[in-house]
Structures are given as C-alpha cells and as structure tokens.
Amino acid sequence: MQTDRQPVIILVRPQMGENIGAAARAMLNFGLTEMRLVDPRDGWPNPRAVAMASGAAGRVLDTARVYPTLAEAMEGVDYAFATTARGRELTKPVFTPATAMEQARAHDGRTAIIFGPERAGLENEDVARANAIVTVPVNPDFPSLNLAQAVLLMGYEWGRDTLPPEPAPQGRRPAGEIAADRIEIEKLGDHYEEKLQAAGFFFPETKAPAMRLNLRNMWSRLTLTRGDVQILHGMLRQLTRR
C-alpha cells in the first residue's frame, strides 16, 4: 500500500497517551502509518502511548511528528476531513465515513483526517481549516465515540477497498481452520459407520441401508473444518477404546 496515498491521521491536542497508543493500533489495523500530533497535553514521546500501541509503536508512533498548531500539522495536505458529532454553523460538505473515504481514494493529492481532543472534540477554529466534515451516523441520544473508535471507523472505511476482502485468506489460516474437503468427510463417515456397525447400531437389518444413507447424507450437509474432522475422529476413538 503506497504511503503517499494514505490519509494522514492528525490528532489535535490529544489528552492521554493511552488514547494516542490505541489510535495507533487502530491505524495499523488498516495499513495507516502516518500520525501527526498537535500539541499533545502530556508531551511527547509518551511511554503510556508506546505501551498501549503494542506492535504499532515501531510502525506508527516512532515516526509520528509533533506540531504546535493544526495549521502547521496540515503541511502538504490538499484536502482535509474534520471528524465531529456536533452540529456546526460552518457551511461545509458533511460525509459519512464511507463516503468520506471514497472521496479520499479518488483525490489526487494528499488527504488528512483530523480528530479532536477526547473531552470536547474539535473547536470551530479547527473545523474551519478542513474542507469537509465527517459525522458517524450513530444513536443521536449518545453520539460520543472515543478517539480510538473514531480512528478505527475511518481506518476501516479507508481499507475497505485496499485490504484483503476476506477476514483470513486461506493461505494464512491455521490448517485446522481450513474447510474439510470431500475425501476427509468421506473418511470421517467411513470411520463412524465402521464403529457404529461394530456397536450394533444398524438394527434391524432391514432398516440398515436407509440408516447408513441418512447418516452419510448428514455428514455431507455439515460444514466442517479440518480441525472439526480431527476432533470427531478423536472423540469416536476415545469412546470406542477398549
């Protein structure tokens, strides 16, 4: 993913190192790596941010830059989105996160997403510097999101078209989570049929063919992983162990 096409994440006057670290984790979840901080309350660097960021510290926090003002933090930015849940008297386009990130992907220049301090959010003077407003359509009686949640939502919408469409592509899944194939299901059915036959399950003899058919049909209807198949084999071996 080209970093010069990613939105810059600007945190304006963030108050707690833990929230900066959590925002960094949310960013890296969706491939975003450029963070800019405007006048962080507790100074910078902040060990609490590093502790909360975990694996994102090296990729995001170590390269984060600090600026005294929002105007300076917007260096090189051509189009900026201000995130806010409150109504504003400022006349600007208002987007949802999804439509905002569609605009960001289509924009030729550098874009930024601006987030306000945890307690009160962005001030009008901050919002005035942005080109558009982003508001998340949430419960109007409780529209408050914490900083990391807001960053996560925007990151998700940004990454929707650039990250893998599946939560865990098959090549990256543990072997036990891969869907069992037809042969594995057939062998599982054979194992159960053999043990059930030895236990006298298929009785009376006249009904045995239909019982075997129904059992085989049941196995084919189940959506099993390779791990599931191994567990079922193991359960049967344990139950029939002499």
Side-chain angles (χ1 to χ4, degrees):
M1 192 181 299
Q2 297 180 346
T3 56
D4 61 351
R5 295 291 297 148
Q6 297 176 6
V8 177
I9 302 300
I10 302 177
L11 307 185
V12 178
R13 298 180 297 279
Q15 297 170 322
M16 297 178 62
E18 292 88 344
N19 290 337
I20 298 172
R25 291 179 68 165
M27 287 172 59
L28 196 56
N29 283 153
F30 301 101
L32 300 174
T33 57
E34 186 170 351
M35 175 186 282
R36 300 182 186 182
L37 304 171
V38 177
D39 189 24
R41 184 190 68 182
D42 296 337
W44 195 259
N46 188 312
R48 293 184 176 180
V50 173
M52 180 61 75
S54 187
R59 297 282 302 279
V60 180
L61 296 186
D62 285 356
T63 58
R65 290 185 285 171
V66 180
Y67 299 83
T69 67
L70 176 58
E72 291 169 280
M74 293 176 69
E75 173 191 2
V77 171
D78 302 296
Y79 196 96
F81 301 90
T83 59
T84 177
R86 292 183 285 143
R88 302 285 180 174
E89 58 270 22
L90 301 172
T91 302
K92 290 184 184 293
V94 180
F95 299 119
T96 64
T99 54
M101 292 302 92
E102 286 178 9
Q103 296 277 339
R105 285 190 291 269
H107 193 75
D108 290 331
R110 200 73 196 277
T111 60
I113 312 169
I114 305 170
F115 300 86
E118 297 90 320
R119 181 167 296 180
L122 294 169
E123 297 178 358
N124 280 345
E125 290 76 9
D126 303 316
V127 178
R129 296 188 180 280
N131 302 90
I133 288 172
V134 181
T135 297
V136 180
V138 294
N139 177 5
D141 295 328
F142 191 71
S144 176
L145 295 174
N146 68 38
L147 180 59
Q149 287 173 328
V151 173
L152 187 75
L153 281 170
M154 298 302 294
Y156 172 77
E157 293 299 344
W158 166 259
R160 185 188 288 270
D161 288 349
T162 56
L163 293 175
E166 294 297 324
Q170 181 164 309
R172 291 167 50 196
R173 289 182 182 174
E177 294 182 10
I178 298 174
D181 61 28
R182 183 185 61 80
I183 299 301
E184 290 166 325
I185 299 296
E186 286 282 340
K187 289 182 177 178
L188 180 65
D190 291 343
H191 189 189
Y192 270 78
E193 188 170 320
E194 173 193 348
K195 296 300 183 182
L196 289 172
Q197 175 67 35
F201 176 77
F202 299 111
F203 181 84
E205 187 63 30
T206 55
K207 294 184 177 180
M211 295 170 70
R212 288 189 175 90
L213 179 63
N214 289 336
L215 185 62
R216 186 68 61 171
N217 188 49
M218 181 193 75
W219 291 121
S220 68
R221 291 201 314 270
L222 296 178
T223 303
L224 299 173
T225 66
R226 289 179 177 175
D228 296 333
V229 169
Q230 291 173 359
I231 289 171
L232 290 166
H233 277 299
M235 289 168 56
L236 187 58
R237 282 192 292 267
Q238 188 66 29
L239 286 170
T240 57
R241 181 173 293 174
R242 293 288 192 269

